[in-house]
Amino acid sequence: MAIYHCSVKIGTRAKGQSAIAASAYRSGKKLKDNETGLISDYTQKKGIVYSEVSLCAHAPSEYQDREILWNEVHKIEKASNSQLWREFEVALPKELNLNQQIETVRDFVKGLNEQGMCVDWSIHDKQDGNPHAHIMTTMRSIMDDGMWAPKSKKVYDLDENGERIFQKIDKTGRKQYKSHKENYNNWNDKERIEEWRTAWEICCNSRLDEHNHIDHRSYERQGIDQEPTIHEGFVARKLVAQGKTSERVQINEEIRERNKLLKKLAEGLKSIGEELKSLIEQKGSVINAGKQRITDLLERRIRTVNKSDGRFADRERESERRVKKAAPSESDIIVRQSKLERRAAEEFLRDKETDSKQSGRFSEFIRNGETDTDSFIRQSQAKVDSATADRKNRDAERERLAAEESKRIREAEQRAREIEREREQEKNRRSRGFSR
């Protein structure tokens, strides 16, 4: 997977640095410092696969020679603390071939040229898995006449009428006005660093597959719970290749181990979260399915009753409204239906008795013993008793399942708390390790 690296630093006279020596080392050339007479010869340096000088608009064509360019920089930057050059060190994606890497750097350098910088850049690749580029830029702009621009300029402060603000008359009798200095360009503004880092990301991603895209933002800014490794550098990798130890390499190995543990903890938390979500969804689906089934049974039973006896239609519609509102169980429905059937049978019996009395045959009707209606009533009562017992059993089973489900949820929450506690302990150990 492609990695992102783009560091920005400045070379200065205050540190005893030389732009000419730096350019010679990065380009693998032999350059002479006209100011000191020193010659920097790095023609035997290995691993330099490409080098180029790119000029901005209005720059003299002779600046295409890096020796002339940087000697002119030394000539204009005379102060002992002068900033001589700015350098971008960028990691090149190994997923790109050399020609693609050159074009990627050239795209980035073109943006710097458009801002007014002259750029001296080289690509290093020792086939050790660390291809990178050194991009040296000038610190001053070049004016339309090809001359170096000042790093700052004097700007007079103006009052509300647009007039300069008088301060005093100096010893020579000249008037002094209030003023301040402004940088000729904005290259030293902090915002530029973010813009340049973003520009390098865009140049690389334009040639990388989507799954290999890089991001200039830190893991924290990306919302990734992972600790970044540190830059090892050529010297550290060379020591390891020789069988020696390197502190920076060891630090990265420890960071990778911690990241593996963090990843494992994150996966555990994710698995628990998904399990909890699944349990909640299952519970909801079971409840909804039960409610729907009860509603369907209720509607079917009520339609049956209405068909058998129209006299109970109004009563049943009211019962349907109440039952739907309360969402009764299937046992409740059977009990209610059986009671309705029993009442219908009793009314039928009373009608029968009335008819028998009127016809003078009631006594004979009684002597005949048990009628079909009596049997029907007993059957209805049996249905009521059976449905009542079934309802109790169903309620007990529902309570048992609810208790088991509650227990499973509590166990899952306990596991989540334990993993979170382990994660906090690991973070505390890691912070204590850094403090030491």
Side-chain angles (χ1 to χ4, degrees):
M1 179 179 179
I3 61 172
Y4 182 92
H5 173 71
C6 176
S7 63
V8 184
K9 52 190 175 182
I10 293 177
T12 67
R13 283 188 182 272
K15 297 179 182 179
Q17 295 173 316
S18 167
I20 297 169
S23 175
Y25 176 82
R26 286 151 179 75
S27 62
K29 302 296 182 181
K30 179 180 178 180
L31 304 179
K32 180 180 178 180
D33 187 340
N34 296 335
E35 183 180 21
T36 63
L38 295 176
I39 297 177
S40 300
D41 187 356
Y42 290 95
T43 53
Q44 300 302 314
K45 181 175 173 58
K46 306 297 183 182
I48 302 173
V49 296
Y50 189 80
S51 185
E52 182 178 306
V53 174
S54 302
L55 302 181
C56 63
H58 311 301
S61 58
E62 58 266 25
Y63 285 1
Q64 199 72 50
D65 185 332
R66 55 174 48 91
E67 184 176 84
I68 295 176
L69 171 64
W70 295 115
N71 270 296
E72 288 297 319
V73 168
H74 275 217
K75 189 184 297 184
I76 193 68
E77 304 293 358
K78 298 178 181 179
S80 60
N81 62 346
S82 291
Q83 296 179 340
L84 300 175
W85 79 94
R86 178 180 284 105
E87 180 176 12
F88 300 84
E89 183 182 87
V90 296
L92 297 172
K94 293 184 291 185
E95 292 76 8
L96 303 180
N97 58 41
L98 178 58
N99 289 333
Q100 291 172 322
Q101 291 173 349
I102 291 173
E103 291 303 318
T104 301
V105 178
R106 186 172 282 139
D107 288 347
F108 179 71
V109 168
K110 182 179 179 181
L112 300 178
N113 291 151
E114 292 174 351
Q115 296 178 39
M117 305 177 196
C118 294
V119 185
D120 180 0
W121 55 282
S122 301
I123 294 178
H124 294 185
D125 188 0
K126 295 184 177 182
Q127 302 301 317
D128 58 354
N130 182 37
H132 59 279
H134 295 274
I135 304 170
M136 296 176 61
T137 69
T138 53
M139 299 295 292
R140 290 176 183 258
S141 302
I142 295 181
M143 297 184 293
D144 295 349
D145 58 1
M147 303 297 293
W148 294 106
K151 286 188 175 179
S152 62
K153 55 186 177 180
K154 182 178 180 180
V155 178
Y156 287 105
D157 296 334
L158 304 177
D159 59 18
E160 61 274 9
N161 298 320
E163 300 291 336
R164 290 187 293 180
I165 302 173
F166 174 77
Q167 284 190 312
K168 62 179 180 179
I169 297 178
D170 62 14
K171 295 179 181 180
T172 62
R174 297 176 59 185
K175 294 182 179 180
Q176 299 293 319
Y177 296 92
K178 186 177 181 181
S179 63
H180 65 276
K181 285 188 175 181
E182 289 184 358
N183 293 329
Y184 190 87
N185 56 52
N186 61 3
W187 301 343
N188 286 329
D189 294 351
K190 291 182 179 181
E191 294 79 6
R192 300 290 82 72
I193 300 294
E194 183 76 6
E195 291 179 5
W196 291 328
R197 287 174 56 83
T198 303
W200 176 246
E201 171 194 328
I202 294 172
C203 290
C204 291
N205 288 341
S206 66
R207 290 180 172 82
L208 287 170
D209 294 335
E210 186 174 355
H211 68 278
N212 279 324
H213 278 189
I214 58 177
D215 197 316
H216 75 282
R217 298 172 299 171
S218 64
Y219 285 150
E220 182 178 1
R221 290 172 62 189
Q222 295 181 57
I224 299 176
D225 191 6
Q226 186 172 333
E227 183 181 356
T229 55
I230 63 175
H231 183 64
E232 295 177 353
F234 169 73
V235 175
R237 286 189 295 273
K238 185 176 181 181
L239 289 173
V240 173
Q242 294 173 351
K244 301 178 182 179
T245 60
S246 167
E247 182 179 357
R248 299 183 73 84
V249 174
Q250 288 179 347
I251 290 174
N252 276 343
E253 290 177 353
E254 294 174 359
I255 291 174
R256 293 187 184 98
E257 288 299 321
R258 287 195 290 269
N259 284 336
K260 288 181 181 178
L261 179 58
L262 286 173
K263 183 178 180 180
K264 184 177 179 181
L265 290 174
E267 290 175 349
L269 287 173
K270 182 179 179 181
S271 176
I272 291 175
E274 292 175 350
E275 184 177 351
L276 287 173
K277 182 179 179 181
S278 176
L279 288 173
I280 293 171
E281 290 177 350
Q282 289 176 8
K283 181 179 178 181
S285 62
V286 169
I287 292 174
N288 292 333
K291 288 183 177 180
Q292 184 61 43
R293 183 182 178 190
I294 290 170
T295 302
D296 294 341
L297 288 171
L298 179 61
E299 291 177 351
R300 186 167 65 251
R301 295 275 182 165
I302 290 174
R303 285 195 299 269
T304 301
V305 171
N306 289 338
K307 287 181 180 180
S308 64
D309 193 347
R311 289 177 298 176
F312 298 106
D314 294 337
R315 189 184 305 171
E316 285 303 302
R317 281 194 291 271
E318 178 64 20
S319 175
E320 177 184 2
R321 185 187 64 79
R322 292 197 302 270
V323 169
K324 281 186 176 180
K325 183 176 180 181
S329 66
E330 184 177 355
S331 300
D332 293 333
I333 298 171
I334 297 174
V335 169
R336 292 176 183 178
Q337 178 63 27
S338 300
K339 288 180 178 179
L340 291 173
E341 292 174 351
R342 181 177 177 179
R343 281 198 296 270
E346 290 174 347
E347 290 182 11
F348 175 77
L349 180 58
R350 284 195 297 270
D351 293 343
K352 245 341 188 177
E353 291 173 348
T354 302
D355 294 340
S356 298
K357 287 179 180 180
Q358 292 176 353
S359 62
R361 292 182 283 110
F362 179 69
S363 57
E364 182 181 353
F365 176 77
I366 295 297
R367 286 193 301 271
N368 287 336
E370 180 179 273
T371 66
D372 293 338
T373 304
D374 296 329
S375 175
F376 182 75
I377 291 173
R378 280 202 306 276
Q379 291 176 4
S380 298
Q381 183 62 42
K383 286 184 180 180
V384 171
D385 296 340
S386 175
T388 302
D390 183 62
R391 178 175 58 186
K392 291 181 179 179
N393 293 336
R394 288 176 180 273
D395 291 343
E397 178 66 15
R398 188 180 299 109
E399 291 177 359
R400 185 184 68 79
L401 293 176
E404 290 181 355
E405 183 176 357
S406 178
K407 181 179 178 182
R408 288 177 60 192
I409 292 176
R410 287 198 302 272
E411 290 176 351
E413 291 175 346
Q414 179 64 24
R415 285 175 56 196
R417 286 194 294 270
E418 290 176 357
I419 291 178
E420 183 64 25
R421 187 162 52 250
E422 291 177 3
R423 185 176 183 181
E424 290 297 327
Q425 291 174 354
E426 175 59 25
K427 286 185 177 180
N428 292 335
R429 286 196 296 271
R430 183 176 63 188
S431 63
R432 288 197 296 272
F434 280 125
S435 63
R436 290 197 298 270

